[in-house]
Amino acid sequence: MPDLSESDISERQYLYDSWSNGDSIVVVRHLERCDRADVPCLVDKDGLTARSVLVAADLSDDFFRLGLEQADIYNSPLARTDQTADLLFSSRSTDQGWLYNCRKEDTFLRDALSNKKPGRNLVLVTHSSCIARFEDDLGFSSNTPEYGTAIFLAADGRSKDIRLLGFVETDDWDEVIHSR
């Protein structure tokens, strides 16, 4: 999967154009899980670490700078994805059971496409296991994405054609978004 922070300007321009046209699907892995870290929790063990708040503040700024006026934002109802969505997007995100059930069912890509509206970007906050299924559906595999990694795809919502644009890790947004 291409790392958009290392891609050339033409690939990034395609991302900007796709986003401006409302043709993007962005899959975001939740922030750091508290049950797998030996640090203070934000609330409970099934949620995020307290240090996720600092990462979330920067990532939230990046998404708002990209523009969320024409974005539909959904998250898995589990605590860590719900907290990630709240930290990144305030009250703009809605719980969707299919973003949790995709861990067991092989329907992530189909469900994402059925929820993608023409002219509106779709942002999905989910789990690494769902991202792995998504990658399988698209015919590739990669290492487990870091917490907060965003995977960008272009899909206009009118056809079922999808173009994988690549990923952006939390520390790399300056090279991708702020350089335009």
Side-chain angles (χ1 to χ4, degrees):
M1 181 183 318
D3 181 343
L4 290 168
S5 69
E6 297 174 359
S7 64
D8 62 41
I9 191 64
S10 65
E11 284 301 308
R12 284 187 243 154
Q13 188 59 50
Y14 194 88
L15 180 148
Y16 310 143
D17 293 345
S18 174
W19 188 265
S20 294
N21 294 330
D23 291 341
S24 292
I25 296 176
V26 183
V27 181
V28 180
R29 184 176 181 206
H30 61 76
L31 297 173
E32 186 179 39
R33 292 175 65 147
C34 198
D35 63 349
R36 294 194 180 163
D38 191 22
V39 297
C41 298
L42 182 62
V43 179
D44 294 317
K45 268 296 211 200
D46 63 342
L48 301 176
T49 62
R51 66 182 173 198
S52 292
V53 174
L54 297 174
V55 174
D58 289 340
L59 193 52
S60 177
D61 288 346
D62 295 327
F63 271 106
F64 276 91
R65 180 174 262 178
L66 188 59
L68 294 173
E69 299 79 23
Q70 60 186 24
D72 298 315
I73 305 167
Y74 301 132
N75 60 273
S76 160
L78 288 188
R80 61 185 168 268
T81 50
D82 194 45
Q83 287 174 357
T84 298
D86 285 346
L87 290 170
L88 297 182
F89 307 112
S90 301
S91 61
R92 295 174 183 245
S93 188
T94 304
D95 288 354
Q96 294 287 311
W98 63 271
L99 285 167
Y100 170 73
N101 294 336
C102 62
R103 296 159 36 122
K104 299 176 181 119
E105 299 172 12
D106 198 16
T107 61
F108 190 91
L109 180 58
R110 185 188 74 215
D111 291 340
L113 289 171
S114 70
N115 282 280
K116 170 72 178 79
K117 297 174 187 149
R120 296 199 52 84
N121 297 309
L122 180 62
V123 180
L124 307 171
V125 181
T126 193
H127 311 271
S128 60
S129 55
C130 293
I131 292 170
R133 292 219 180 221
F134 190 55
E135 289 176 343
D136 288 345
D137 287 347
L138 292 171
F140 70 95
S141 65
S142 66
N143 295 331
T144 301
E146 299 291 323
Y147 293 117
T149 296
I151 300 170
F152 285 82
L153 301 106
D156 66 16
R158 291 174 288 280
S159 69
K160 297 301 178 199
D161 293 334
I162 291 182
R163 178 178 173 195
L164 173 68
L165 303 178
F167 71 92
V168 181
E169 292 181 338
T170 57
D171 293 339
D172 293 337
W173 280 75
D174 284 344
E175 287 83 21
V176 177
I177 303 302
H178 303 285
S179 65
R180 63 180 194 170

